[in-house]
Every structure is written in structure tokens, then in C-alpha cells.
Amino acid sequence: MENLADFETSTVRERAASLTRGAVTAREKLERLFPFVRDDIAFGFPPGGDLVAASETLRLGYGQCNTKATLLLALCKTCGIPARIHFSLIRKDIQKGFFTGLAYRLLPEELSHSWIEVELEGRWRRIDTFINDLPLFHAAKRALRSRGWQTGYSLALGDGEASADLNLDHEAFQQMDAVTRDNGTWDDPADYYASPHYRNRPGLLRLMAYRLMIGRINKRVRALRLTAPA
């Protein structure tokens, strides 16, 4: 499998250059890249599942935790920001509300999940707050509270809070409270997906079901986003 964080492609290089034009420090560059990945790449489930290159996510304009992490990783690498992807397992109830009925039952109990770590000013910082675009984040947070849930709609509130901000100095997260197992850091997601640690590898039945149901699942994502406060 070729590298999915294809940071040397012209598509990724040109987008990174346009986003960071005029920025000098790694912090300044990251502050430009982050809102683009969070908001311009809307949250949604691509037909290719996790196995989507960064350049393809740019073309699609949407992605989920793993594909958006792949994109942010590639953009950081293009800009010379030391970055790595950190994989874990996460409870499947993180997607409760979007996946329902048979689609939810077909999910593994634990899903492979990732976030990004960047080395900034001598320290590695964890970032997962790019996963949900801002309108979806606010709508999901309100939906969870109205249902009395702590986890679902791609958020894990934990103590009742979550963040959609770039928190480099005071870490805050969107999904970390639902993480169950650490699978370490990887240079490229393709290496993890080829390893025995990867849990989202579907059999033929699950792959066919996913492709049949993904349109309806993404429709639920869009419908929830529309409920966000103006």
C-alpha cells in the first residue's frame, strides 16, 4: 500500500503553500492549517473508508477522524512541521446516532481511531479537535445533552465538555474520552492499516453493507449539522 499521507503530491503541496503563505513559525503555520482541516473539510464518511489518501480527501472535501488526520499529517509534513499519527482503539458508541440499526450492529465493538501529534517548541502536542467541523461540533454537543448521552454523534464529552479549538498549550479534545487502547505512533497511516492492530478492515459483507448505507449515514450527519445555532 502506498503512503496515504501523500505530502509530496502537487495537490497537497499547493494547498499547504496557499494556506501558510506569510506564516513563519511552525505555530503560525499550524494555526493556518488547523481551521482548514476542521471546517473546510466537513465531517463525513467517505466511500473508501479509512484508506483514503490526503490528496483524495482534499478532492472530496469531507472526511472522518482517520482521513482528516491523514490530511493534517500530510499538510504538516509538507510545511516542515514534525508530525506523526497516533492510533488507538475507540468505543463504537462514538458513532451512535449517525450509525443506527443494522449499520451500528455491524460495527466492531472497538474501532481503529487516530489523532495527530506535532512537535512544537520542543514538545509533542496531541490534537484531535479538527475532527468535527464547527457547525457539526456545536449541533452534536447540543444533541448529546438533549438525549442525556456522553458519547455519540462523533463526540465524547467525558466530564461534560469537549473542544473544537486548537489547544496547543492546554490540551482539550473531542473524542479522547472514548479511547480504550493505545496502539502507538506511526509515520504513515498505511503502515498501521497493514498491521494486525487495525480493526476496521471489513469483510465482504460489511464492506457491501457500508457502501449501501453510507449515503443514509452521511444524510444524518448533514441533517444534524443544519440544527447548529446560527
Side-chain angles (χ1 to χ4, degrees):
M1 186 185 300
E2 296 183 1
N3 285 354
L4 295 176
D6 53 351
F7 63 95
E8 294 181 339
T9 61
S10 59
T11 304
V12 177
R13 287 201 317 268
E14 290 167 8
R15 184 57 58 91
S18 68
L19 289 169
T20 60
R21 189 169 291 115
V24 177
T25 67
R27 183 181 285 263
E28 289 173 335
K29 292 175 182 179
L30 191 57
E31 288 171 347
R32 305 277 189 87
L33 299 175
F34 172 86
F36 171 78
V37 175
R38 184 190 65 190
D39 297 328
D40 291 66
I41 306 298
F43 182 87
F45 297 93
D50 295 326
L51 307 183
V52 182
S55 55
E56 176 65 5
T57 297
L58 283 175
R59 186 189 71 80
L60 290 171
Y62 67 95
Q64 32 84 323
C65 60
N66 293 328
T67 60
K68 292 182 75 168
T70 297
L71 174 58
L72 184 54
L73 175 67
L75 291 170
C76 286
K77 285 177 174 287
T78 300
C79 293
I81 301 171
R84 61 197 186 190
I85 191 164
H86 198 133
F87 278 96
S88 70
L89 297 182
I90 194 169
R91 298 192 314 270
K92 76 173 186 177
D93 63 345
I94 194 71
Q95 301 304 353
K96 185 170 62 174
F98 291 149
F99 284 72
T100 63
L102 178 62
Y104 186 75
R105 291 195 297 274
L106 286 174
L107 288 175
E109 291 302 313
E110 294 176 306
L111 305 167
S112 288
H113 166 68
S114 63
W115 60 88
I116 288 299
E117 296 179 356
V118 298
E119 188 179 26
L120 191 67
E121 298 156 2
R123 182 162 65 88
W124 284 96
R125 328 279 178 123
R126 297 179 295 170
I127 308 169
D128 86 342
T129 49
F130 57 84
I131 295 172
N132 294 291
D133 54 273
L134 205 53
L136 183 64
F137 170 81
H138 289 303
K141 199 169 181 179
R142 188 168 65 175
L144 287 180
R145 286 176 171 165
S146 71
R147 287 179 173 266
W149 296 354
Q150 285 196 325
T151 306
Y153 297 113
S154 190
L155 281 184
L157 297 184
D159 61 0
E161 291 302 324
S163 175
D165 299 326
L166 180 61
N167 299 289
L168 293 173
D169 300 310
H170 304 284
E171 288 184 333
F173 302 102
Q174 289 191 0
Q175 297 192 353
M176 207 67 74
D177 191 67
V179 167
T180 59
R181 186 181 303 176
D182 190 334
N183 282 331
T185 58
W186 301 71
D187 185 59
D188 189 272
D191 299 328
Y192 174 80
Y193 297 146
S195 80
H197 298 290
Y198 183 49
R199 292 287 182 88
N200 301 356
R201 188 178 292 109
L204 181 60
L205 176 62
R206 286 186 176 181
L207 180 61
M208 290 174 61
Y210 175 82
R211 289 178 173 170
L212 285 170
M213 297 173 180
I214 200 62
R216 188 175 301 172
I217 292 165
N218 281 330
K219 186 176 181 179
R220 292 190 194 103
V221 175
R222 292 191 294 271
L224 183 62
R225 183 182 289 116
L226 290 174
T227 71

